[in-house]
Amino acid sequence: MRYVNDDEESYWSRMFRKRLTRRQALRMAALGGAGALSAAYLACRGEGPTATVAPGESPAAGVSSVLADYRSRFHYSKLKDLPGQKEGPKYGGTFRFSHYQGFTGAWDITGPEADALASFAPNHFNGLVTFRQDDFSNVHNLYEVVSDLAQRWETPDQLTVTFRLPQGARFHNVPPVSGREVTSEDVKFSLEVYKQSVAQGPILADVDRIETPDRYTVTVRFARPAAYFLQSLTYPVFLVFAREAYERKEEVFVRQPIGTGPFVLERWDPPNIYSMRKNPQYFRKDPRTGMQLPYVDAIEAPILNLNVTLEEAAFRDGRIHTIWTHTRRAFDQMLATFPDNVGQVTTPPPGFQPYITVKLDKPPLNDQRVRAALQHLIDIDAIVEGILEGMAGPGLAHDFSFFGKEWPWTLEELQAMGANMGYDPQKARQLLSAAGVGRLRIKFMYGIGEPIHAEVYRTVANFWRQGGIEVVQDEVPITEIARFNAAFFGKQWGDVDVMGFSFAGPGMDEDQYCYGPLNSRSPRNFYWVNDPTLDELTERQRRQFDINERRRTVEEIIKRELSQSYRIWLVNIYKMAVRRGFVFNVVDTIHAWHNIGWGSKGNEMVWFSRAP
Amino acid sequence: MTSYLVRRGAASIVVLLLVSIVAFLLIHLQKGDALTVKLRQRLPEEQVQQLRAEMGLDKPLWEQYWTWLSGVLRGDMGRSFFREQQPVWDRIKAALPVTVELVALAIVISVIVGVPAGVISAVRRNSLLDQVTRLFSVIGLTIPVFWLATIVLVYGGIWFSYSPPLTFQQFWESPMRNLEAMWMPGLILGYALSAITMRITRSSVLEVMRQDYVRTAWAKGLGEQVVIVRHVLANSLIPVITVLGNQFVYIIGSTVIVEYLFHLPGLGFVAFESIATRDYFLVQGTVLVIGAMVVAMNFLVDLSYAWLDPRVRLAGTTQI
Amino acid sequence: MAERNPDLAVPVALGPRLAPAFALEAWSRLLRFVRREPLTAACAFIFVAIVIVAIFAPWIATHDPLAGDPRARLQGPSADHFFGTDAIGRDVFSRVVYGARVSLLVGVAATLAGTVIGAIIGLITGYLGGTVDLLVQRVMDGIQAIPALVFLLLVAAIWQQGMLSVVVVLAVLIAPYVSRLVRGVVLSLREEAFVLAAQAMGARPLRIMMVHILPNTLAPVLVAASIIAGGAMLAEGALSFLGLGIPPDDPLWKTSWGAMLKPENLQYFERSPYLVLFPGAALALTVLAVNVLGDSARDRLDPRLRGTL
């Protein structure tokens, strides 16, 4: 800024009329500002405290009335008689929803980012088997393996699985693969690459060799019985690709996803747009209707990176067809934007929830009593009722659907399994003094990429502070993801004591919630857990083909973990999605680091009952 | 004049070199690298080393810098670690027009609004109109850009059902779609800038009006319009141009926030994203290009100093 | 220069006998000041009020700015919570009160550090000239060629986030502007008669700089500093807004206004506008007050510059 001399009292300046000073102008500014403020203040005052949970008895034990109400009103079973549903699927239309950048690198589905690519790559690739995804699936169907690229499969004994491929399933018509037919050799090649890779490798660890008796048959032979294998294979990272593409990794493989999948990539241009069009020679038919997939002609996904304001505005004026809301209030608001909107409340995903990892080998955190005290200082009910407006249950990264449960465990059920959960500052104090800890200082690092999770972590910090613990918060914004990853995955914790992390698992089988995080030899054990009891149990459940036997072992694992408070559990947030009334088979297929609707898996099933 | 130009040109190159060294050192000092951004699991140590070696991150810093610099001198800014190893220049080439357009829009808006407002408020000094325009200017100077943008995004959506388009198109692809995305962020930046333009225009006009030749023009009995337009305005725009040039860095800096909030894929966005992902070559390329733009602008401003009689006495700044 | 303005003439030699008369004199002077320049007075009042709020924050705040009741989240203003509560049930009023500390401290500390460093550099390079000047000027150009926000993003993760790193970085960014300003003044003074005379009389460079040149740079530096302080506050706000400034819920500093405006709060804007309105208004008001006071100081220190706002 420059200052220019202009204000000497001269004849010429006096010539100009109406003497007011600039002080007066500034005073007007100040008055105007104050006026606007007080107006805003008055406008705000009208809004009283927002009631979060209506008083009254809960219909289901341990579940608030709000949650019970939403769970039943927006249950998947309510989707059956919607207008347009009876006539069955129709073809055509462009499906639009907001996407996020998700992965930073190339389309390397064999690389370290394969987990993140599970939200993208299934649009363009197929695995051998998958899980059910349509409006009629729910958690009960999760352990129901359905065919994807493999038409049928047989398990003659505990050490063998044989997959039969269809004839005439072709790769995209993109060079260098150019629409060639998929053969057993491709499957063998892909699985062998995955066996060496970091994301998929652990699940294939028990695979001994892969044989291709003929062009359409693949036989997987195991070194040891692997009870978890087939179910784990539905995790959409075991995608079949072509050898000739992989061999030209830099020029082809990482640049263009060439698979057998329902859509051919058109444009991947973050942070702008992710678009694709229908694969005209797609092999797969809808298992329910027998109709050729995919139903929609194209998908156009603006990449908004979870910019809630932009997303809600776009849903409001009809530019996107579905939205995943973060709060119940937003869910209600979005539901009201179009008269035919459909809402669905689905189970919280075990693989994506805020929870806290403890540096278990650092005194005094190596003392179970200290960890239990930290857990007892957190009022989970208050977080659920307050921050999450009732739409959450207590957290635990184990798959409740493995036990045939539709909804996650309640606090009472977890306590019955030996969890040191439940708000009890008195007990926490006793535990701390029993452990001989006077003053406890904790450095608490957490990511704030998911805003609602950040609120939960901040609340936890407050609870600890109220319990007399000195908490130093280290909030890591999305711009610092490198620092966060270096700490979490690189085990370079520095002086951090506890870390808030949102991804658990991920997994399609309970094994990935047992062996993965809890076995001391597992590459996915980011949690400092080193417990011989858990090592033995997690190994044992991998070999148990009898589901009831395996359930008993898993229950033992959960009890052991809970009683030791290896991880501090917070909440598991229900998912609330709203979609336009003419869109079917869509709910839960986006943003879902979850069993149902694993990322993009399921977009091929989406159909429109009428043109938007 | 020629020797002046040569000296300034040489100085600019030194400055750019310094910029690139500063950017290089700072980004390498940050915790974590591009590999850790990609991580979703724990890699075995030997695999980490191998991946680092593939990315060229295992070499000593000076060697990495020299590789990059010699590449730049050959016209190759290197490749991004992400996005299918896209060449850095491709990315910058796509982002540059967005930022240039945004800055140009802001400057045009600030000139269209700020200059007439400044002239009117100087000519009708201390009138109600003057007070109103100054009020407008003061608010523009004190409201944080990010706050204004936030309020526009939310209340714009609720009251005027305004929301920016979800996908961006370049001006030459679709002018209407492009302007639909750009006008509001341009207006917000332009407002902050027009407050400054208006202040400078006003004081500059007031100063010119005291000059002898203006007095003579009045004395000759020329009409007000003739005096103001031909004698006053023409002579008072020089400091305005200078100040606009000096505000250039500030506007570029503000584009980071505005592009982030309005989701525009410009240089500010690229800078933000590449710093976050430790995409070293992209960071260096982006900062270098931004620096080059700033240096070029300063150069032009200096030229205007050298050519025109500067009537600006003191240099300072309100915005850093 | 200050002596030209009667309001600022400080009664230095007043004996104890005159004390009551002085109090009366001061009071009437204050009244005159308020009557003559109501806006400056208002801004001075605002500024003093903010300073008082910052100093006595623990007594003014009605709640613990870090503790909140999650069940009472996103409430509107009430007798208990003047500005309502935020997304995790903390009292917004108390947080705004504590935020004043951060804004003021960052504004003052960064400006002071940057101005002192910049003034020293400008003084030395301006007076000495030559190669040192050339070299230092290029470094300054280099710093100024990187937009502040980009620079701040670049250094964000090098150190532990915190007050000190924000202040240091802002000071580094402020120094070049001040050094330019001072250098310009020094260059114009170097050939003035009184400097040449001092040189002819054999005064050493240090003495000339301190006695003859430095006092003359004070007025423009002071004026620039007041406006830079406003800019520094805005910059801290922007930095915290991006999550790179003072860490939110810092045990010592509690929170900053910018951090309260974070983009993630956008989603609650519609139902709880005060969440964003109050801290934003506090920041804007403080910057306004600082700017107006700086303007007023400029008028007093150098009347030739009056009226440029």
Side-chain angles (χ1 to χ4, degrees), chain A residues 172-203:
Chain A
H172 296 166
N173 197 356
V174 176
V177 189
S178 307
R180 159 178 89 65
E181 192 184 32
V182 185
T183 68
S184 52
E185 281 302 320
D186 294 308
V187 177
K188 179 177 178 339
F189 183 77
S190 306
L191 288 179
E192 274 167 355
V193 170
Y194 287 137
K195 200 167 174 350
Q196 307 304 318
S197 74
V198 275
Q200 295 92 342
I203 294 170

Short mmCIF file of all heavy atoms in Angstrom, two decimals, chain A residues 172-203:
data_model
loop_
_atom_site.label_atom_id
_atom_site.label_comp_id
_atom_site.label_asym_id
_atom_site.label_seq_id
_atom_site.Cartn_x
_atom_site.Cartn_y
_atom_site.Cartn_z
N HIS A 172 -11.78 -54.92 -21.66
CA HIS A 172 -12.19 -53.72 -22.41
C HIS A 172 -11.46 -53.68 -23.75
O HIS A 172 -10.31 -54.13 -23.85
CB HIS A 172 -11.83 -52.46 -21.63
CG HIS A 172 -12.57 -52.33 -20.33
ND1 HIS A 172 -12.22 -51.43 -19.36
CD2 HIS A 172 -13.65 -53.00 -19.85
CE1 HIS A 172 -13.04 -51.53 -18.34
NE2 HIS A 172 -13.92 -52.48 -18.61
N ASN A 173 -12.11 -53.08 -24.69
CA ASN A 173 -11.52 -53.00 -26.02
C ASN A 173 -10.55 -51.81 -26.09
O ASN A 173 -10.79 -50.82 -26.79
CB ASN A 173 -12.63 -52.86 -27.06
CG ASN A 173 -12.12 -53.18 -28.44
OD1 ASN A 173 -10.93 -53.43 -28.62
ND2 ASN A 173 -13.01 -53.16 -29.40
N VAL A 174 -9.49 -51.92 -25.31
CA VAL A 174 -8.49 -50.84 -25.23
C VAL A 174 -7.14 -51.50 -25.45
O VAL A 174 -6.85 -52.53 -24.84
CB VAL A 174 -8.53 -50.17 -23.84
CG1 VAL A 174 -7.44 -49.13 -23.72
CG2 VAL A 174 -9.90 -49.56 -23.57
N PRO A 175 -6.31 -50.96 -26.33
CA PRO A 175 -5.00 -51.56 -26.53
C PRO A 175 -4.17 -51.44 -25.25
O PRO A 175 -4.37 -50.48 -24.50
CB PRO A 175 -4.37 -50.73 -27.66
CG PRO A 175 -5.21 -49.51 -27.78
CD PRO A 175 -6.54 -49.79 -27.16
N PRO A 176 -3.28 -52.35 -24.97
CA PRO A 176 -2.85 -53.47 -25.82
C PRO A 176 -3.69 -54.74 -25.63
O PRO A 176 -3.38 -55.75 -26.25
CB PRO A 176 -1.42 -53.70 -25.32
CG PRO A 176 -1.48 -53.37 -23.88
CD PRO A 176 -2.49 -52.27 -23.73
N VAL A 177 -4.71 -54.69 -24.75
CA VAL A 177 -5.47 -55.92 -24.48
C VAL A 177 -6.52 -56.14 -25.56
O VAL A 177 -6.80 -57.27 -25.97
CB VAL A 177 -6.11 -55.85 -23.08
CG1 VAL A 177 -6.69 -57.19 -22.70
CG2 VAL A 177 -5.07 -55.44 -22.06
N SER A 178 -7.11 -55.03 -26.01
CA SER A 178 -7.99 -55.00 -27.18
C SER A 178 -9.11 -56.05 -27.18
O SER A 178 -9.30 -56.77 -28.14
CB SER A 178 -7.16 -55.15 -28.46
OG SER A 178 -6.14 -54.19 -28.46
N GLY A 179 -9.80 -56.13 -26.06
CA GLY A 179 -11.01 -56.95 -26.05
C GLY A 179 -10.79 -58.45 -26.07
O GLY A 179 -11.71 -59.20 -26.41
N ARG A 180 -9.63 -58.89 -25.69
CA ARG A 180 -9.33 -60.31 -25.68
C ARG A 180 -10.13 -61.01 -24.57
O ARG A 180 -10.50 -60.40 -23.57
CB ARG A 180 -7.81 -60.43 -25.47
CG ARG A 180 -7.28 -61.70 -24.95
CD ARG A 180 -5.78 -61.63 -24.88
NE ARG A 180 -5.27 -61.10 -23.61
CZ ARG A 180 -5.41 -61.71 -22.44
NH1 ARG A 180 -6.08 -62.83 -22.35
NH2 ARG A 180 -4.89 -61.19 -21.35
N GLU A 181 -10.34 -62.32 -24.75
CA GLU A 181 -11.10 -63.09 -23.78
C GLU A 181 -10.26 -63.35 -22.52
O GLU A 181 -9.06 -63.50 -22.59
CB GLU A 181 -11.51 -64.44 -24.40
CG GLU A 181 -12.55 -65.18 -23.56
CD GLU A 181 -12.88 -66.55 -24.13
OE1 GLU A 181 -11.98 -67.17 -24.73
OE2 GLU A 181 -14.02 -66.97 -23.99
N VAL A 182 -10.93 -63.39 -21.36
CA VAL A 182 -10.24 -63.68 -20.11
C VAL A 182 -10.04 -65.19 -20.00
O VAL A 182 -10.97 -65.96 -20.26
CB VAL A 182 -11.07 -63.22 -18.90
CG1 VAL A 182 -10.29 -63.41 -17.62
CG2 VAL A 182 -11.51 -61.81 -19.06
N THR A 183 -8.86 -65.60 -19.61
CA THR A 183 -8.61 -67.04 -19.46
C THR A 183 -8.09 -67.32 -18.06
O THR A 183 -7.78 -66.39 -17.29
CB THR A 183 -7.55 -67.53 -20.47
OG1 THR A 183 -6.30 -66.94 -20.11
CG2 THR A 183 -7.90 -67.13 -21.88
N SER A 184 -8.00 -68.59 -17.77
CA SER A 184 -7.50 -68.99 -16.46
C SER A 184 -6.07 -68.49 -16.24
O SER A 184 -5.67 -68.26 -15.10
CB SER A 184 -7.55 -70.52 -16.34
OG SER A 184 -6.90 -71.11 -17.44
N GLU A 185 -5.32 -68.32 -17.34
CA GLU A 185 -3.95 -67.81 -17.20
C GLU A 185 -3.94 -66.41 -16.60
O GLU A 185 -3.06 -66.08 -15.80
CB GLU A 185 -3.25 -67.79 -18.57
CG GLU A 185 -2.73 -69.13 -19.05
CD GLU A 185 -1.74 -69.76 -18.07
OE1 GLU A 185 -0.90 -69.01 -17.50
OE2 GLU A 185 -1.81 -70.98 -17.85
N ASP A 186 -4.90 -65.58 -17.01
CA ASP A 186 -4.98 -64.22 -16.45
C ASP A 186 -5.23 -64.27 -14.95
O ASP A 186 -4.63 -63.52 -14.18
CB ASP A 186 -6.12 -63.43 -17.12
CG ASP A 186 -5.85 -63.18 -18.58
OD1 ASP A 186 -4.76 -62.67 -18.89
OD2 ASP A 186 -6.71 -63.52 -19.41
N VAL A 187 -6.13 -65.16 -14.55
CA VAL A 187 -6.45 -65.28 -13.12
C VAL A 187 -5.21 -65.72 -12.36
O VAL A 187 -4.87 -65.16 -11.32
CB VAL A 187 -7.61 -66.27 -12.92
CG1 VAL A 187 -7.90 -66.45 -11.43
CG2 VAL A 187 -8.86 -65.78 -13.64
N LYS A 188 -4.56 -66.73 -12.88
CA LYS A 188 -3.35 -67.24 -12.23
C LYS A 188 -2.31 -66.14 -12.10
O LYS A 188 -1.74 -65.91 -11.03
CB LYS A 188 -2.81 -68.41 -13.05
CG LYS A 188 -1.53 -69.05 -12.49
CD LYS A 188 -1.17 -70.24 -13.37
CE LYS A 188 0.02 -70.98 -13.07
NZ LYS A 188 1.14 -70.94 -12.51
N PHE A 189 -2.10 -65.43 -13.23
CA PHE A 189 -1.09 -64.37 -13.22
C PHE A 189 -1.44 -63.30 -12.19
O PHE A 189 -0.60 -62.89 -11.38
CB PHE A 189 -0.98 -63.75 -14.61
CG PHE A 189 0.09 -62.70 -14.70
CD1 PHE A 189 1.43 -63.06 -14.79
CD2 PHE A 189 -0.24 -61.35 -14.67
CE1 PHE A 189 2.42 -62.09 -14.85
CE2 PHE A 189 0.74 -60.39 -14.73
CZ PHE A 189 2.08 -60.75 -14.82
N SER A 190 -2.71 -62.86 -12.19
CA SER A 190 -3.12 -61.81 -11.26
C SER A 190 -2.91 -62.27 -9.82
O SER A 190 -2.32 -61.54 -9.01
CB SER A 190 -4.60 -61.47 -11.45
OG SER A 190 -4.86 -61.15 -12.78
N LEU A 191 -3.37 -63.48 -9.50
CA LEU A 191 -3.26 -63.94 -8.11
C LEU A 191 -1.80 -64.07 -7.71
O LEU A 191 -1.44 -63.78 -6.55
CB LEU A 191 -3.98 -65.28 -7.93
CG LEU A 191 -5.51 -65.19 -7.95
CD1 LEU A 191 -6.13 -66.57 -7.79
CD2 LEU A 191 -6.03 -64.26 -6.86
N GLU A 192 -0.95 -64.45 -8.65
CA GLU A 192 0.46 -64.58 -8.29
C GLU A 192 1.10 -63.21 -8.03
O GLU A 192 1.95 -63.07 -7.15
CB GLU A 192 1.22 -65.36 -9.38
CG GLU A 192 1.09 -66.85 -9.11
CD GLU A 192 1.51 -67.73 -10.27
OE1 GLU A 192 1.83 -67.18 -11.35
OE2 GLU A 192 1.50 -68.96 -10.09
N VAL A 193 0.69 -62.21 -8.80
CA VAL A 193 1.18 -60.87 -8.52
C VAL A 193 0.68 -60.42 -7.15
O VAL A 193 1.44 -59.89 -6.33
CB VAL A 193 0.72 -59.87 -9.61
CG1 VAL A 193 1.04 -58.44 -9.19
CG2 VAL A 193 1.40 -60.19 -10.93
N TYR A 194 -0.60 -60.68 -6.87
CA TYR A 194 -1.18 -60.24 -5.59
C TYR A 194 -0.51 -60.93 -4.40
O TYR A 194 -0.42 -60.38 -3.32
CB TYR A 194 -2.69 -60.53 -5.56
CG TYR A 194 -3.49 -59.60 -6.44
CD1 TYR A 194 -4.52 -60.07 -7.24
CD2 TYR A 194 -3.23 -58.23 -6.45
CE1 TYR A 194 -5.26 -59.23 -8.05
CE2 TYR A 194 -3.96 -57.37 -7.25
CZ TYR A 194 -4.98 -57.87 -8.05
OH TYR A 194 -5.70 -57.02 -8.82
N LYS A 195 -0.06 -62.15 -4.63
CA LYS A 195 0.58 -62.89 -3.53
C LYS A 195 1.81 -62.13 -3.03
O LYS A 195 2.16 -62.19 -1.86
CB LYS A 195 0.95 -64.29 -4.00
CG LYS A 195 1.17 -65.31 -2.87
CD LYS A 195 1.23 -66.70 -3.43
CE LYS A 195 1.58 -67.81 -2.46
NZ LYS A 195 2.05 -67.55 -1.16
N GLN A 196 2.45 -61.40 -3.93
CA GLN A 196 3.66 -60.65 -3.57
C GLN A 196 3.35 -59.23 -3.10
O GLN A 196 4.25 -58.54 -2.64
CB GLN A 196 4.61 -60.55 -4.78
CG GLN A 196 4.96 -61.86 -5.44
CD GLN A 196 5.56 -62.84 -4.46
OE1 GLN A 196 6.38 -62.46 -3.63
NE2 GLN A 196 5.13 -64.10 -4.52
N SER A 197 2.12 -58.79 -3.26
CA SER A 197 1.86 -57.37 -2.99
C SER A 197 1.46 -57.16 -1.53
O SER A 197 1.07 -58.10 -0.83
CB SER A 197 0.77 -56.86 -3.92
OG SER A 197 -0.46 -57.37 -3.49
N VAL A 198 1.57 -55.92 -1.09
CA VAL A 198 1.36 -55.64 0.33
C VAL A 198 -0.11 -55.69 0.73
O VAL A 198 -0.44 -56.16 1.81
CB VAL A 198 1.93 -54.27 0.74
CG1 VAL A 198 3.38 -54.40 1.05
CG2 VAL A 198 1.67 -53.24 -0.32
N ALA A 199 -1.00 -55.20 -0.12
CA ALA A 199 -2.40 -55.12 0.28
C ALA A 199 -3.06 -56.50 0.24
O ALA A 199 -3.79 -56.88 1.15
CB ALA A 199 -3.15 -54.15 -0.63
N GLN A 200 -2.81 -57.23 -0.82
CA GLN A 200 -3.51 -58.51 -0.99
C GLN A 200 -2.72 -59.69 -0.43
O GLN A 200 -3.30 -60.71 -0.06
CB GLN A 200 -3.79 -58.75 -2.48
CG GLN A 200 -4.73 -57.76 -3.11
CD GLN A 200 -4.02 -56.57 -3.75
OE1 GLN A 200 -2.86 -56.29 -3.46
NE2 GLN A 200 -4.72 -55.85 -4.61
N GLY A 201 -1.41 -59.55 -0.38
CA GLY A 201 -0.53 -60.64 0.01
C GLY A 201 -0.95 -61.42 1.26
O GLY A 201 -1.03 -62.65 1.22
N PRO A 202 -1.24 -60.71 2.37
CA PRO A 202 -1.55 -61.44 3.60
C PRO A 202 -2.71 -62.43 3.45
O PRO A 202 -2.69 -63.49 4.06
CB PRO A 202 -1.92 -60.32 4.58
CG PRO A 202 -1.21 -59.13 4.07
CD PRO A 202 -1.17 -59.27 2.59
N ILE A 203 -3.70 -62.09 2.64
CA ILE A 203 -4.87 -62.97 2.49
C ILE A 203 -4.51 -64.20 1.67
O ILE A 203 -5.12 -65.25 1.79
CB ILE A 203 -6.04 -62.17 1.89
CG1 ILE A 203 -6.48 -61.11 2.90
CG2 ILE A 203 -7.21 -63.08 1.54
CD1 ILE A 203 -7.45 -60.11 2.36
#
